[in-house]
């Protein structure tokens, strides 16, 4: 079955997967969605005997129907290789009754590696398929992890450049060092004076500026995105939820056909949306638990049906979730409105103009698979410490939010359905906050001394991704205001 893509806001439709990946964002600001979510065509018991790479092919071939078998397998083989420090790619660790799906074994120790390791291959293959001669400029806003993972993927990839914007003071020191020390002649990193939402809004404005697009085209450039708004990011994320389920069956933890719950620490909504796609493909998922930190806009949305970003933006120890505009939620809104692009467009216009919108009761019913929960800074820290004290297992601050929300959910509901918790980053990426949660005040201590101590108490070696920045040279020092991001892109590209 051939799958085509259309904008969630109407207009563009019947695009091939490769063209949707190349464009990243629709001309009218909409996100590309498949015209149907395909069902898995290989039984669970057969998938259970496959490697991660083989499962990836069986899932992704159903969405990327204009890729040949040879093209897709080439992308998968080159993405999921020795850059991951475990053979399993995404191992499951059982701790305190839940299954932690470790998605941080790639080259930048965060779950973004799972999709951003393959996106450069999907992108360059898509460019060849569509006879693109322009240089592709990847333009990305990051709340901490996407930026580094995207740069690591695209560094020195012929025919591409990548420009990353991140909020100055809004990411962990390790996240910042990972970005500003990035090598590659085609990479640029800019700290903006503002928060992640400002960076994300600025990037979307640049994409929507037709005049700037023409200027880029004249100079031989075209924009694309590595954010989770790109369908080429979302599809690879579906894979690890399918993989987690079939491995639980293979390991005898659950019976084939038995339902699981999935808990995801959520910011931009892409990671939990991928779990929803896995359910739509046929994986038996009972409840999708959407875990928020103090920026609990999604928790409030699932509780009330009102999405309202008009609130204080709070900087937390889980910065990748410090988001008030969850871009990928638009895809769920579109689906819950029966794929009515006009209805979706009107809600997104309200969000842009008034900062809020309300969905109908019928749409809320369509989203009944989701439940929201949140953990504030205190609850998150207590949860990280409790898990360590009981099991010796150390998790990062984002996984901490999910873990605490899951425990609260079980207490409130008595639902003991086997649960997969998406473990989205290595604790070493947020060592200061993790060690403070477990052992108290760490102020005045050197960041790398804290990392070495974490290695000792967790009985885990310091990851290569952290070791390589210990003495790395700072290469990127650009800063700008959110309002001048387009000028900065023009300067970097020497327009």
């Amino acid at each position: 079955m051939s799958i085509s893509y259309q904008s969630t806001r109407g207009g563009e439709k019947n695009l091939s997967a490769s063209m949707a990946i190349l464009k990243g964002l629709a001309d009218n600001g909409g996100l590309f969605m498949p015209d149907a979510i395909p069902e898995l065509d290989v039984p669970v018991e057969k998938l259970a005997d496959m490697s991660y790479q083989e499962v990836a092919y069986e899932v992704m071939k159903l969405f990327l129907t204009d890729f040949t078998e040879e093209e897709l397998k080439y992308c998968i083989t080159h993405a999921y290789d020795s850059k991951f420090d475990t053979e399993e790619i995404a191992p499951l660790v059982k701790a305190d009754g839940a299954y932690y799906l470790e998605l941080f074994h790639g080259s930048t120790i965060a779950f973004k590696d799972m999709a951003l390791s393959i996106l450069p291959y999907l992108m360059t293959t898509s460019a060849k398929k569509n006879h693109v001669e322009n240089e592709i400029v990847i333009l990305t806003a990051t709340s901490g992890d996407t930026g580094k993972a995207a740069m690591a993927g695209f560094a020195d990839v012929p025919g591409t450049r990548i420009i990353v914007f991140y909020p100055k003071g809004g990411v962990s020191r390790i996240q910042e060092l990972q970005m500003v020390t990035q090598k590659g002649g085609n990479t640029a990193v800019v700290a903006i004076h503002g928060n992640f939402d400002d960076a994300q809004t600025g990037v979307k404005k640049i994409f929507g500026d037709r005049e700037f697009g023409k200027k880029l085209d004249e100079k031989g450039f075209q924009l694309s995105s590595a954010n989770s708004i790109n369908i080429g990011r979302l599809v690879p994320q579906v894979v690890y939820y399918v993989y987690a389920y079939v491995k639980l069956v293979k390991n005898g933890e659950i019976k084939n056909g038995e339902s699981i719950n999935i808990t995801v620490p959520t910011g931009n909504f892409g990671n939990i949306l991928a779990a929803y796609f896995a359910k739509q493909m046929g994986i038996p998922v009972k409840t999708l638990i959407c875990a928020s930190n103090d920026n609990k806009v999604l928790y409030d949305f699932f509780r009330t049906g009102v999405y309202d970003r008009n609130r204080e933006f709070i900087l937390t120890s889980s910065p990748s979730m410090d988001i008030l505009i969850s871009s990928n939620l638009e895809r769920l809104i579109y689906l819950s409105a029966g794929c009515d692009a006009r209805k979706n467009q009107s809600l997104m216009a309200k969000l842009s103009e008034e900062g809020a919108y309300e969905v109908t009761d019928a749409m809320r019913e369509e989203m009944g698979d989701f439940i929201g929960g949140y953990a504030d800074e205190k609850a998150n820290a207590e949860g990280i410490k409790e898990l360590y004290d009981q099991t010796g297992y150390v998790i990062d601050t984002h996984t901490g939010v999910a873990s605490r929300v899951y425990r609260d959910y079980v207490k409130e509901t008595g639902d003991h359905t086997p649960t997969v918790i998406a473990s989205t980053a290595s604790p070493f990426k947020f060592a200061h906050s993790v060690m403070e949660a477990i052992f108290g005040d760490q102020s005045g201590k050197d960041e790398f001394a804290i990392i070495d101590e974490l290695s000792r108490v967790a009985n885990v070696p310091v990851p290569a991704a952290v070791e390589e920045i210990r003495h790395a040279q700072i290469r990127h020092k650009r800063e700008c205001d959110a309002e001048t991001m387009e000028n900065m892109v023009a300067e970097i590209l020497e327009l």
Side-chain angles (χ1 to χ4, degrees), residues 388-464:
Y388 173 74
D389 288 345
Q390 288 174 0
T391 67
Y393 187 54
V394 180
I395 54 175
D396 91 292
T397 45
H398 301 74
T399 311
V401 169
S403 179
R404 180 58 186 250
V405 165
Y406 167 65
R407 285 191 213 180
D408 290 347
Y409 167 81
V410 173
K411 275 181 200 160
E412 285 165 25
T413 63
D415 179 7
H416 290 278
T417 300
T419 296
V420 168
I421 295 175
S423 186
T424 53
S426 164
F428 288 95
K429 205 154 194 174
F430 304 94
H432 192 282
S433 298
V434 169
M435 290 296 281
E436 204 150 76
I438 299 172
F439 298 108
D441 187 22
Q442 301 288 308
S443 55
K445 292 186 183 176
D446 174 73
E447 190 77 28
F448 287 96
I450 294 170
I451 282 165
D452 291 336
E453 181 63 10
L454 173 58
S455 172
R456 189 187 65 75
V457 301
N459 199 25
V460 175
V462 176

Side-chain angles (χ1 to χ4, degrees), residues 173-341:
R173 182 58 180 152
I174 293 298
Q175 285 177 309
E176 184 170 47
L177 282 171
Q178 282 190 305
M179 288 189 278
V180 297
T181 59
Q182 175 65 48
K183 294 177 183 173
N186 64 339
T187 65
V189 185
V190 185
I192 73 147
H193 307 136
N195 59 41
F196 170 73
D197 287 336
D198 298 325
Q200 182 166 251
T201 300
V203 164
K204 284 184 174 178
K205 275 185 185 162
I206 296 169
F207 271 98
D209 186 336
R210 298 282 177 89
E211 285 306 308
F212 191 61
K214 277 184 201 165
K215 195 192 287 188
L216 286 166
D217 188 47
E218 284 163 12
K219 296 287 187 180
F221 297 115
Q222 73 182 63
L223 295 178
S224 191
S225 172
N227 278 85
S228 54
I229 53 176
N230 192 317
I231 198 72
R233 271 277 304 274
L234 189 61
V235 169
Q237 290 179 273
V238 179
V239 174
Y240 47 72
Y241 293 112
V242 174
Y243 181 79
Y245 184 83
V246 302
K247 287 303 160 185
L248 287 174
V249 171
K250 168 87 171 172
N251 298 340
E253 298 287 345
I254 58 172
K255 293 187 175 70
N256 188 5
E258 187 179 347
S259 288
I260 61 168
N261 291 337
I262 298 175
T263 307
V264 185
T266 309
N268 222 10
F269 206 75
N271 203 5
I272 196 164
L273 184 69
Y276 180 70
F277 273 38
K279 173 172 181 163
Q280 300 304 305
M281 294 186 84
I283 295 299
V285 178
K286 179 171 167 278
T287 303
L288 292 157
I289 303 165
C290 179
S292 298
N293 64 13
D294 281 297
N295 296 290
K296 58 188 181 69
V297 64
L298 287 165
Y299 166 76
D300 292 338
F301 172 69
F302 285 118
R303 200 168 47 88
T304 66
V306 176
Y307 191 95
D308 187 356
R309 67 170 172 84
N310 299 310
R311 61 183 72 204
E312 182 191 359
F313 184 96
I314 302 167
L315 290 174
T316 74
S317 62
S318 47
S320 297
M321 298 162 69
D322 291 346
I323 293 172
L324 295 180
I325 304 172
S326 302
S327 288
N328 272 288
L329 183 63
E330 179 171 345
R331 287 185 162 113
L332 183 65
I333 298 295
Y334 172 76
L335 287 173
S336 69
C339 301
D340 182 338

Side-chain angles (χ1 to χ4, degrees), residues 48-126:
D49 286 326
M50 293 183 182
S51 66
Y52 189 88
Q53 293 85 341
E54 289 166 333
V55 172
Y57 175 72
E58 295 301 336
V59 172
M60 291 174 67
K61 72 175 189 187
L62 301 173
F63 286 98
L64 311 181
T65 52
D66 67 322
F67 282 68
T68 66
E69 180 177 349
E70 184 185 8
E71 285 168 342
L72 189 50
K73 284 187 172 173
Y74 172 86
C75 294
I76 290 166
T77 305
H78 285 77
Y80 303 114
D81 58 10
S82 59
K83 70 174 77 68
F84 286 83
D85 63 17
T86 53
E87 200 177 320
E88 260 202 286
I89 306 292
L92 281 159
V93 174
K94 191 173 185 180
D96 195 30
Y99 301 93
Y100 288 81
L101 178 63
E102 293 189 343
L103 301 172
F104 53 76
H105 289 282
S107 56
T108 76
I109 57 175
F111 82 98
K112 309 289 172 79
D113 289 323
M114 301 299 292
L116 284 164
S117 292
I118 194 167
L119 185 61
Y121 295 100
L122 295 175
M123 190 84 73
T124 50
T125 302
S126 295

Side-chain angles (χ1 to χ4, degrees), residues 154-176:
F154 281 95
D156 293 326
V157 170
T160 69
R161 296 212 200 174
I162 178 161
I163 303 171
V164 169
F165 291 96
Y166 75 94
K168 181 75 176 169
V171 300
S172 81
R173 182 58 180 152
I174 293 298
Q175 285 177 309
E176 184 170 47

